[in-house]
Amino acid sequence: MAIFDEVSPAAVGAAEAAGVLSGAALAVCDANLPGETLRSVRERCQAQGVPAWLEPVSVAKAPRGAAGAPWHLVSPNWDELQAMLGSA
């Protein structure tokens, strides 16, 4: 899913600068995004007071969302949860 690689931390920063995050009620991400981008979204949402949710999508990609500031909601299945916790 190469298109997800195009959503970079710089793109998230540009969206924040344009006021997109400050007007958002919720940010929803999935772990197809690069880990650096997920971190950027979480940090920026936390700074703006915007809840951020994560869908892990797969065991292989779930760990991308595990580090850093907490998500408001994560919806892993059992195997994705184990991967996020480093137990898989």
Side-chain angles (χ1 to χ4, degrees):
M1 295 202 172
I3 191 68
F4 284 98
D5 294 332
E6 300 298 317
V7 183
S8 66
V12 175
E16 181 182 31
V20 172
L21 286 179
S22 63
L26 175 68
V28 179
C29 298
D30 76 30
N32 285 307
L33 292 169
E36 304 83 37
T37 302
L38 292 171
R39 256 188 310 282
S40 180
V41 169
R42 252 191 334 225
E43 291 168 2
R44 293 170 189 276
C45 284
Q46 186 175 32
Q48 295 281 338
V50 175
W53 293 5
L54 175 70
E55 167 50 45
V57 305
S58 72
V59 171
K61 295 177 180 179
R64 294 179 183 180
W71 296 95
H72 283 82
L73 177 80
V74 181
S75 57
N77 63 34
W78 180 252
D79 294 332
E80 292 165 348
L81 176 61
Q82 294 300 309
M84 292 180 80
L85 296 173
S87 302

